[in-house]
Amino acid sequence: MCSNPASITFQTASGFSICVVPVASHTFHIRVNRTGLFEAPSPLTRLGIAAPPTSPVNWHTEYVGDALHVITDEAVLRLDRQTGSASLYDKSENLLTRQTKPPYGGGADGFGAQFALSDYERLYGLGDQYDVPLMKRGHTLSISLRSNRVHAPVPLLLSSNGWALLVDTDIEHEFDVGRSSPDELWFHGRRGELAYYLIAGGTLAELLGKHARLIGPSAMLPLWAYGLSFICNQQTTARDMIEDALKFRREGIPCDMIGLEPTWMDRPFDYEAPVRWHPEKFYIPQWMPEGAHTFMGALRTMGFKLSLGLYLPESPRPGTGTGSDDIGPSWYDYLEPFVAQGVQGFKLSTSVPVQEQVHLPAAEEDEEAESALTIAGAIGKIIQEGYAKQTGKRPIVYTPVGYIGVHKYAAMWSGGRRQPHLSVLGLGLSGIPNMSVDMNLHNPAGIHFGFFQPWSKVNSWAYWRHPLLLDADLLALFKTYAKLRYRLLPYIYSAASVSARTGLPIARAMPLAYPDDAAAVPLQNQYMFGDELLVAVFTDQVYLPDGEWIDYWTGDKYAGPAHITYRTPPQAGGPLFVRAGAIIPMWPDVEHAGQRPADRMELHLYPGSDRQYSFYEDDGGSLGYLSGESAETSIVCTQERGGYRVEIGPRIGHFRDMPEHRDWNVFIHTRDKPASVKVNGESWREAAGARKDPAPSHWSFNRRAGLIRLSIHEAAAGSPRPARMEMMYSAEKETRRSEPQPARYGGKPGKTSGELEKELEIGLETGDEAKALSALEQWWEVRAAGDRSPEDIREHWLYLNGLFVRSVERKGRTLGDVLGEDPSHRFQPGPDAGAGQAYEALEQMAKSIVEYDNKQRGRTNEIVRRATDIIVRELDQELSLQAVADRLHLNSSYLSRRFKKEIGMSFSDYVLEKKMELAKELLLIGTTVNATADRTGFKEASYFIRVFRKYWGVTPGEMKP
């Protein structure tokens, strides 16, 4: 007998009773036991993990011989009434999976079931399984926390054949995923009835969405929790903690949370009695326990949040329970005073680190020990609900161990792992999206991965892992990534909202992101971070799926599908690619999430394909988002023939403290300068120079940085029309842009106009007439040749005149000095002038500049030209005389003498001049000081600042507009 009226029960020939409940149109709940009694809720429902159906499901049954068919709108479950074996079909009656042996449960043999596997079927899930590949076929895996080095075993399997299995139990059990028999999957537990869910239809991502609707959405962490967290050494005192926090602020490294290990308290927390601050380490005068004068107040003043460590109990205790019905009077009362003082997070820990638990003897088999699977989820729920009741806000609760359902109340964390990315991606494939592995600060690859996790954490624990203790190179790299992480927080938070709604994690394994790409599916060392960013970790082998991809660090473009060997540039720790067409909302640089700008945002666009993006916002801390207090902005980018269109819709929705108006600083990453830009139908003028903030109704283009920049007011609330920006190119330019570019390692892509301008400048700089004229000719063919209006011809002619002026002024001359009174240089394109006439005039000017320079100092030595070519192209490197001489196979003294004679200044002075000119240009367009230092080859920003101030007489900060 089954207590659920929307169910069907029958008994098999071997005496097992089976109860089937269609809990959704795609999901069936199946229970098997010996008694025929199914009145008590199954384990996951009893524990509050699985949500009961909220609406009736349309289903009916049909009997075909000994087969019972349970039919819904999306699936068919066929049951053999003699054996109880089940087969699952989609709505088109395609077989998804079938049981090869009768299921059993409720007897002396425990419970279990066995399913057939097809030849090419791939299975994912089962949580965080230590050092096991993401694809689980061929492995035997234990759903246990004891002596298993596993942080979160999850009894969920997703199949590439379009079905999923979730075992409904809190009892330890084991999966054999095609190991004992390659074409069979089985699971077995030692006691209890059999209960499980079968989910039908869809890709892995769609199956995760159906699982999320069954179990419940993941918690949205506070906005600041997606930034950077730092956990102090376990011997830390209040003074040490404040000093750690000050180091972050003094060095300009953004960070939001400071955490303490469980040694902060006066005695071990046993969940049965209150604790207090350690009287020596964290002394607080009793007459003034709260306020800005306390160490917690000092942290708040600096913009930090505080988390406290708690040890998890090793087995259930009164007042904790393993489900909502067992909780009773909450021990959260013991935490209320600390929350009142300002604590906003709790770090749950095991008394023995998980990575060391493999050495512990297995506990004796008993019900209490097995129930430990659910302790972390129950405690997370108590803290989350108690904190919400006390403050009306979200805390961050993070735990090293968990089970299915823990994602609704807590984030996961792990200590160091040999393959840390597999923990993150494996849990993402198991319905637990918020996972972070302790960052390895001591190599670039560890920093790279550490900042591209769902949430990022530096954990000192028993060590000294503060970034300020790193060497200069690693510290500079850490700063680069920390600042990038905070600039990306709007993008990350939007991805987190998608995860909460759909189960699709922020860090998406390639089988999730590209299920139909056979080359992508088996890859484990790369993943999508949100919709637009591809991250590769601990490898130099990268696969780029179909489409165009932009190297975030260098701006180089690649055409996929392609396998490449990646050379990480010095300013990075690993490969990071942006998908062409990407739409990425960003913040400007901030020290912590509390500084987020209210009314001005950045929007970074990467033209290349049509794309639509929904930017999500809420207040970042309260529970209002659960009741719809949020807003979304639709952003649509369209690649059209001859142009690129951007539409930014009005915000839909509302949340507390939402700004009334917003401006978007739009950055379009392209090497191609448009012929015209229109905003809301009005033609805007190009700003004179690449200033940081173009004037209203102006746009700027910086060739060297590859950026178009302008500011757009968002559409007013309720407006039927979005704010619109249109960027138009010439017809020939669009033809060249539309041609697919091969991957860099499979063939060289065509040169952009920006690259050709750089070659033209090098030719003029070094007196290489052939190089200069070749670059000029190619540039003109791309930008100005063919049937053009006189206005277009004049614009391109004036643009190159400006380039010529800059070239001669760098040498202390004027264009008039160089060109003299030659009448051919007085050409001004008029109404009847053609492109040919304008080009001839420009060609003559370029020749005259080269000729004049060669007369002034004699024809530049070929060796010197090659040296200056290296310098101009590689200003982001450390350029020593010896290194360049070695590349040219020369004696350094000889090169030094020739350089001085031909250029008129020493090698080092010339390099410094070029670096300082580039630095000035970058700062004037709004590049940060740290990024400018990196782009000009300085390892330490402090040294760069000193050199810049000595050269220009002002600091880089003063140079920025």
Side-chain angles (χ1 to χ4, degrees), residues 145 150-154 372-374 376-377 399-404 406 412 432:
L145 290 174
V150 170
H151 289 266
V154 177
L373 282 170
T374 59
T399 173
V401 295
Y403 189 58
I404 188 166
V406 72
M412 296 292 303
I432 299 179

Side-chain angles (χ1 to χ4, degrees), residues 11 123 169 234-235 295 341 352 383-384 567 606 635 706 723 735 757 912 955:
Q11 191 174 53
L123 283 301
T169 184
Q234 61 185 353
Q235 301 303 319
F295 57 81
Q341 289 175 317
V352 177
I383 295 176
Q384 187 193 81
R567 181 181 177 185
Y606 293 80
I635 304 170
T735 299
E757 287 174 31
L912 179 63
T955 66

Side-chain angles (χ1 to χ4, degrees), residues 749-769:
K751 292 177 181 175
T752 67
S753 61
E755 292 169 330
L756 291 168
E757 287 174 31
K758 189 172 184 178
E759 288 195 6
L760 174 56
E761 288 187 281
I762 293 171
L764 296 174
E765 183 78 25
T766 60
D768 189 337
E769 182 177 300

Side-chain angles (χ1 to χ4, degrees), residues 430-444:
S430 306
I432 299 179
N434 293 318
M435 172 65 172
S436 175
V437 179
D438 290 350
M439 190 183 306
N440 182 348
L441 296 173
H442 298 288
N443 65 68

Side-chain angles (χ1 to χ4, degrees), residues 147-168:
S147 301
N148 202 26
R149 301 187 74 181
V150 170
H151 289 266
V154 177
L156 171 69
L157 266 180
L158 310 178
S159 168
S160 61
N161 280 10
W163 65 279
L165 164 71
L166 172 62
V167 182
D168 182 356

